[in-house]
Amino acid sequence: MKTLKIAILLCIAANFAISCSSDEFSENTPQSPQNYNTHKAGGGGNPPQPVANNVVTIAGNQPGYADGTGTAALFMFPRGLCKDASGNVYVADYANHKIRKITPANVVTTFAGSSNGYANGTGTAAQFSYPFGLCMDSSGNLFVSEAYGRIRKITPAGVVSTFVYLVAALPPGIAYSPDDICIDSLDNIYVADVNNELIHKITPAGVVSTFAGSTLGYADGTGTAAQFNNPAGICTDSSDNIYVSDAGNVKVRAISPAGVVTTLAGSTAGYNDGAPASAQFNNLAGMCVNGNVIYVTDDHRIRKIAITNGTVYTMAGGAFAGDVDAVGANARFNAPQGVVFANSKLYVADTFNSKIKTVTP
């Protein structure tokens, strides 16, 4: 994740003169048929069914900034994603310093933010600086992690304020680096502090504490007895268990509501599907949960993990970067980051392609 941030900034500085360039488990969520570019044949008068693992670009085209519908909209290295109760998807448009909104009809608008900076205000009167992660509380307030250790809050009306400044709330002398964020059923926010190997907890009242992690390393344990190495993505399930893409340790970790850290899947760096102890990851990033499944981005692939037994599968993508809408391993992404499950499909921030894609489950 640290390398990715540097690469994104280099892309910006170069004026974009690059082309960044049989499941064994149930998700406990019924999947309703949708219209996609590719369908299985529907015989006997039945409607066509969506093809599993079909990748489709639903918004974005090339690096830039424009509101619009579908590929008429433009993003600049989109990162975090989250959804609201109406199926709208919000995008941390990293290098445009804005928060974008995508309706279920793929209409893209700017929800908040203008130029790079720091200013509270309403809608485009506010400023962000490299927004990373997003999550939404039970009242529909959107929270944003951004550079310089800030967590911002956006009300449903688009009013932006500063919720927490980690540098002021935690021990001094440390450069806090909030990357991804998530939220539990009690509206507690959890922050993956990527440079400090920590997971922070922020209560609805804005009280900040370190929930898990200590120094750089790898160790399971409770609270600060555990160790992480470059924790990048973070998400919660319906039971308030937390999952962390521990990028430097190439493992997916689980944290119970009581702060007990265990390893769910992953071994050494590489690429391998299968049982948790033999599965391999290479560059873990964003993640989300739907039912009993964790979706996680890994290099140029989308992987999924069964929460019940830790078995790892590859959903879509391949070993090399590219930009191809297709099914499964024939699809290509370029360093995808955020993911969120909404409207019966997985939304993916295909970061270096500056696009938002969906994958059918």
Side-chain angles (χ1 to χ4, degrees):
M1 292 300 295
K2 300 171 189 174
T3 303
L4 177 66
K5 290 178 185 176
I6 294 170
I8 290 174
L9 293 173
L10 287 174
C11 284
I12 297 168
N15 293 317
F16 322 112
I18 54 172
S19 176
C20 292
S21 26
S22 78
D23 287 355
E24 299 175 3
F25 53 91
S26 166
E27 300 185 28
N28 289 336
T29 303
Q31 307 302 326
S32 57
Q34 304 281 331
N35 291 322
Y36 297 96
N37 288 352
T38 307
H39 293 86
K40 294 180 180 177
N46 293 324
Q49 300 298 306
V51 175
N53 301 337
N54 189 34
V55 177
V56 177
T57 298
I58 59 101
N61 186 354
Q62 60 186 1
Y65 169 65
D67 288 337
T69 300
T71 56
L74 299 178
F75 301 88
M76 193 88 73
F77 309 123
R79 293 282 306 267
L81 303 177
C82 78
K83 64 180 179 181
D84 66 17
S86 299
N88 299 300
V89 171
Y90 297 83
V91 182
D93 195 357
Y94 180 81
N96 278 323
H97 314 288
K98 296 173 176 65
I99 307 303
R100 315 289 291 281
K101 177 180 176 180
I102 308 175
T103 71
N106 301 333
V107 178
V108 179
T109 55
T110 299
F111 185 56
S114 52
S115 57
N116 183 15
Y118 170 61
N120 292 322
T122 300
T124 56
Q127 289 178 303
F128 297 90
S129 186
Y130 300 104
F132 303 150
L134 301 175
C135 65
M136 183 169 285
D137 70 12
S138 58
S139 298
N141 297 299
L142 186 66
F143 294 87
V144 182
S145 61
E146 65 171 349
Y148 309 111
R150 290 188 289 258
I151 308 296
R152 312 287 290 280
K153 176 181 177 179
I154 313 175
T155 69
V159 179
V160 179
S161 60
T162 301
F163 183 58
V164 163
Y165 184 36
L166 292 178
V167 174
L170 290 167
I174 298 175
Y176 294 101
S177 302
D179 203 87
D180 204 6
I181 56 177
C182 67
I183 200 161
D184 68 16
S185 63
L186 300 176
D187 288 340
N188 296 299
I189 295 172
Y190 297 88
V191 181
D193 188 349
V194 66
N195 287 341
N196 294 304
E197 333 304 341
L198 302 172
I199 306 300
H200 303 298
K201 177 181 178 179
I202 309 174
T203 70
V207 177
V208 183
S209 60
T210 295
F211 188 65
S214 52
T215 56
L216 177 99
Y218 169 63
D220 289 337
T222 300
T224 55
Q227 290 178 303
F228 299 92
N229 182 355
N230 196 7
I234 191 167
C235 62
T236 55
D237 67 16
S238 59
S239 299
D240 288 341
N241 296 298
I242 302 163
Y243 302 94
V244 178
S245 56
D246 192 1
N249 285 320
V250 289
K251 293 174 175 62
V252 173
R253 316 287 291 280
I255 311 176
S256 75
V260 179
V261 179
T262 56
T263 299
L264 179 64
S267 54
T268 56
Y271 170 67
N272 189 48
D273 287 341
S278 60
Q280 291 177 300
F281 303 99
N282 195 57
N283 190 19
L284 291 162
M287 61 196 324
C288 71
V289 170
N290 183 58
N292 285 325
V293 180
I294 299 170
Y295 296 95
V296 62
T297 58
D298 180 30
D299 263 347
H300 311 298
R301 295 182 173 98
I302 310 300
R303 315 286 293 277
K304 60 181 183 179
I305 307 165
I307 290 176
T308 52
N309 59 19
T311 303
V312 179
Y313 303 80
T314 297
M315 190 177 188
F320 301 104
D323 185 8
V324 179
D325 288 356
V327 176
N330 292 318
R332 290 291 178 267
F333 301 90
N334 195 347
Q337 295 294 295
V339 287
V340 68
F341 200 92
N343 306 314
S344 300
K345 50 198 169 185
L346 185 71
Y347 286 70
V348 180
D350 193 0
T351 300
F352 270 79
N353 285 323
S354 290
K355 294 181 176 181
I356 307 299
K357 299 182 178 182
T358 60
V359 190
T360 56

